[in-house]
């Protein structure tokens, strides 16, 4: 099988472009070494794919296994960690298997997972708990108690994160109060990605970005914060050591190589958070680009090559390594809110959310605050619930669905306004994620509200790509990532300015009432 090895920076080959307009990929024979296997554990599926030195997916080497969180009305949001480990093993079987053509070419295995995951592990390296997800809001009472004890803005500047049910300080307190037997059986607390490494490799370290997403990291030093550990009532010996992106695991058990010979030369990189991966994979590698993620949840982010001294009230700032931080804000419900609206309202036949997004603007729409699983940025009201206002007997299902969609846009827009305070006017705004692909008209709504162009990233697996690119910074330094496809631009329409200004004013009043408690 013909191949090319990754060149040094001075002689780097031209960055490849897609073979055609339909798929961003390269055949194995044209892939530039080294290759990386990227794994992604998201809210709705586990995925894996092979990428070359430019971060281009290798055609025919990918697999996906759907899954779902177990959610209950009391705020429960969990997933079985062993099922995820099994999914990932199956994905590696399918993508890599015993394929001899990959031996000697595959140099890295990198993984991202949804952020703020937590699994308890016993002395035999087996799970003592389910995996608690970012959407689990049962720690709302503990969160309220913490907020009464501390100066929250001070902690935000220390960790880059507000106090919230998505982070681990209130979750650890909830576990002590509600699951003392599980806590007693647990010798170590890890993220879902770390648990995968423990089960497969027998060892694990927390990537800096994963540690940052716990809300327990000192963003200035890159180590666990003693202050936050005290508040969480957790000993640092119960947590993993922290690894920078350039500190992979080099030695792996022989059984791993026996099962997958193609991984004999691979370095295993510490897990990273999916938000960071999606940002990098969509082209947001510096402060010139703001990335809007619209998937099950959503976010707006800017990657900065610094550690900002001050963070606006509604944002988070996650340390990536010694010189980079990811600044932004997240909302729990984007795709989740649209799916709920599509299922709940009796929409006419042949009318789905894509059609709802392109309907004309209307002044009589109800106002909906789409906080189905709590609110993160910008008010950090973990126990917030969805609210609907201005519904009358004349309000139909299409108006309700469009109200949910415009509520999603407004919640993202709140994040964008605070990002501007720190990052200024970025050069471009890129939208990515399944919602942007499946409901493209929502990007026009976002462009109208923000008053600026948005570019649609047409590549669907940007998170996997970003995970691979971060690993390639270590494996193939100096090799530039290929430009991610982005073929459609949405220009703002000034005639809709009045609609959004009026709606934003109504939203602000309702929002303040919602988060006041």
């Amino acid at each position: 099988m013909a191949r090319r090895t990754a060149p040094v920076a001075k002689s780097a080959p031209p960055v490849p472009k897609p073979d055609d307009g339909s798929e961003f990929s390269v055949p194995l024979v044209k892939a530039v070494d080294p290759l990386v296997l990227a794994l992604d554990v998201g809210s709705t599926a586990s995925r894996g794919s092979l990428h070359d030195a430019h971060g281009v997916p290798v055609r025919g080497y990918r697999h996906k296994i759907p899954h779902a969180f177990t959610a209950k009305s009391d705020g429960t949001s969990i997933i079985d960690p062993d099922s995820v480990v099994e999914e990932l093993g199956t994905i590696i079987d399918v993508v890599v298997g015993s394929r001899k053509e990959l031996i000697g070419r595959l140099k890295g295995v990198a993984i991202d997972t949804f952020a703020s995951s937590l699994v308890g592990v016993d002395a035999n390296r087996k799970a003592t708990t389910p995996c608690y997800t970012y959407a689990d809001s049962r720690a709302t009472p503990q969160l309220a108690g913490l907020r009464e004890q501390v100066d929250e803005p001070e902690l935000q500047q220390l960790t880059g994160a507000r106090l919230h049910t998505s982070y681990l300080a209130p979750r650890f307190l909830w576990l002590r109060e509600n699951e003392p037997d599980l806590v007693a059986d647990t010798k170590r607390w890890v993220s879902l990605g770390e648990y995968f490494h423990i089960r497969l490799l027998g060892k694990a370290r927390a990537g800096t970005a994963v540690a940052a997403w716990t809300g327990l990291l000192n963003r200035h030093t890159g180590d666990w914060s003693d202050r936050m550990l005290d508040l969480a009532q957790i000993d640092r010996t119960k947590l993993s050591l922290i690894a920078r992106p350039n500190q992979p695991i080099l030695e792996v058990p022989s059984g791993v190589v026996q099962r997958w010979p193609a991984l004999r030369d691979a370095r295993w990189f510490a897990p990273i958070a999916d938000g960071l991966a999606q940002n990098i994979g969509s082209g947001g590698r510096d402060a010139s680009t703001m990335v809007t993620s619209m998937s099950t949840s959503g976010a707006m982010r800017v990657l900065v090559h610094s550690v900002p001294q001050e963070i606006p009230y509604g944002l988070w700032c996650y340390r990536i390594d010694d010189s980079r931080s990811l600044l932004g804000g997240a909302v729990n419900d984007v795709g989740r809110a649209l799916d709920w609206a599509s299922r709940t309202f009796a929409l006419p036949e042949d009318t789905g959310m894509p059609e709802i997004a392109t309907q004309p603007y209307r002044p009589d729409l109800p106002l909906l605050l789409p906080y189905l699983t709590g609110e993160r940025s910008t008010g950090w009201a973990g126990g917030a619930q969805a609210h609907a206002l201005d519904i009358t007997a004349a309000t139909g299902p299409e108006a309700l669905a469009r109200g949910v969609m415009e509520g999603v846009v407004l919640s993202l827009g709140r994040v964008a306004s605070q990002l501007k305070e720190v990052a200024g006017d970025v050069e471009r705004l890129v939208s990515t994620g399944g919602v942007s692909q499946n409901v493209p008209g929502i990007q026009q709504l976002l462009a109208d509200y923000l008053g600026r162009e948005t570019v649609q990233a047409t590549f669907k697996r940007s998170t996997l790509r970003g995970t691979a690119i971060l690993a390639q910074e270590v494996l193939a330094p100096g090799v530039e990532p290929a430009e991610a496809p982005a073929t459609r631009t949405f220009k703002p329409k000034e005639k809709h300015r009045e609609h959004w200004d009026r709606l934003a004013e109504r939203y602000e009043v309702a929002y303040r009432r919602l988060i006041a408690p």
Side-chain angles (χ1 to χ4, degrees), residues 411-427:
S411 63
L412 288 168
R414 291 184 59 84
V415 177
S417 64
Q418 291 203 1
L419 273 174
K420 187 176 180 180
E421 296 177 18
V422 179
D425 285 319
V426 297
E427 295 177 14

Side-chain angles (χ1 to χ4, degrees), residues 111-117 159 161 167-168 191 194 205-219 222-224 241-247 270-277 280 303 316-322 324-326 467 470:
I111 182 172
D112 73 83
T113 71
F114 55 83
S116 297
S117 59
T159 66
Y167 299 124
L168 299 193
S191 69
E194 292 165 70
R205 298 180 77 181
T208 301
V210 164
W213 256 266
T214 67
L216 303 178
L217 185 78
N218 183 325
R219 71 183 181 93
D223 195 7
W224 299 115
L241 296 175
I242 297 172
R244 299 179 181 87
N246 63 351
Q247 295 178 312
I272 64 172
D274 57 355
L276 169 62
I280 291 176
L303 182 66
W316 36 250
C317 183
Y318 299 134
R319 183 183 177 108
I320 299 170
D321 52 30
D322 294 344
R324 292 179 293 182
S325 303
L326 192 65
T467 299
L470 201 59

Side-chain angles (χ1 to χ4, degrees), residues 71-416:
K72 300 180 181 179
S73 59
D74 66 351
T76 297
S77 181
I78 57 177
I79 193 168
D80 180 2
D82 289 305
S83 292
V84 173
V85 170
E86 185 176 345
E87 290 171 5
L88 292 171
T90 299
I91 287 170
I92 300 176
D93 285 338
V94 173
V95 177
V96 174
S98 57
R99 301 193 186 196
K100 296 180 179 180
E101 71 271 21
L102 300 179
I103 294 176
R105 303 188 64 182
L106 213 166
K107 302 295 185 180
V109 180
I111 182 172
D112 73 83
T113 71
F114 55 83
S116 297
S117 59
L118 183 67
V119 183
V121 181
D122 65 16
N124 296 316
R125 302 199 299 266
K126 295 184 178 180
T128 58
T129 71
C131 173
Y132 303 99
T133 81
Y134 61 87
D136 195 304
S137 61
R138 287 175 288 175
T140 297
Q142 290 72 26
L143 172 65
L146 277 175
R147 284 177 167 167
E148 292 178 356
Q149 299 177 38
V150 301
D151 180 347
E152 190 171 0
E154 178 186 352
L155 293 185
Q156 179 190 17
Q157 300 307 324
L158 171 67
T159 66
R162 294 287 304 279
L163 290 175
H164 192 267
T165 54
S166 291
Y167 299 124
L168 299 193
R171 186 163 297 145
F172 277 129
L173 297 179
W174 178 85
L175 282 163
R176 285 190 175 279
E177 293 179 24
N178 294 275
E179 301 286 359
D181 292 340
L182 295 183
V183 171
D185 291 339
T186 297
K187 301 301 181 184
R188 184 174 172 186
W189 295 98
V190 298
S191 69
L192 186 53
E194 292 165 70
Y195 183 66
F196 169 63
H197 279 176
I198 286 174
R199 297 297 297 157
L200 194 69
L201 308 178
K203 65 184 78 172
R205 298 180 77 181
T208 301
V210 164
W213 256 266
T214 67
L216 303 178
L217 185 78
N218 183 325
R219 71 183 181 93
H220 301 285
T221 66
D223 195 7
W224 299 115
S225 163
D226 291 330
R227 171 71 167 139
M228 294 307 303
L229 297 183
D230 288 343
L231 289 172
Q233 299 180 26
I234 188 73
D235 190 280
R236 68 169 56 233
T237 60
K238 298 275 189 177
L239 303 176
S240 298
L241 296 175
I242 297 172
R244 299 179 181 87
N246 63 351
Q247 295 178 312
I249 295 172
L250 302 179
E251 297 180 1
V252 300
S254 58
V256 172
V257 177
Q258 290 173 3
R259 181 175 177 181
W260 301 302
L263 299 182
R264 71 182 186 190
D265 300 321
R267 304 181 187 182
W268 293 70
F269 289 83
I272 64 172
D274 57 355
L276 169 62
Q278 189 177 64
N279 219 77
I280 291 176
S282 303
R285 300 174 61 220
D286 56 38
S288 68
T289 301
M290 181 187 298
V291 177
T292 302
S293 168
M294 290 187 281
S295 299
T296 304
S297 57
M300 301 192 81
R301 318 179 191 91
V302 174
L303 182 66
V304 294
H305 286 253
S306 65
V307 179
Q309 292 303 306
E310 294 293 328
I311 310 168
Y313 174 89
L315 303 184
W316 36 250
C317 183
Y318 299 134
R319 183 183 177 108
I320 299 170
D321 52 30
D322 294 344
S323 61
R324 292 179 293 182
S325 303
L326 192 65
L327 183 69
V331 296
N332 282 356
D333 304 301
V334 176
R336 184 183 288 110
L338 300 191
D339 289 343
W340 172 82
S342 181
R343 294 193 315 268
T344 304
F345 305 135
L347 296 174
E349 188 177 352
D350 298 327
T351 299
M353 298 310 283
E355 289 74 30
I356 294 292
T358 58
Q359 289 180 348
Y361 281 90
R362 293 171 50 179
D364 62 337
L365 289 179
L367 177 66
L368 286 104
L369 282 66
Y371 303 123
L372 299 176
T373 60
E375 192 254 3
R376 283 188 275 177
S377 298
T378 57
W380 302 96
Q385 295 179 329
H387 279 56
L389 297 84
D390 306 323
I391 297 176
T392 71
T395 303
E398 293 175 79
L400 288 167
R402 177 61 175 255
V404 170
M405 189 174 295
E406 293 192 1
V408 167
V409 170
L410 286 162
S411 63
L412 288 168
R414 291 184 59 84
V415 177

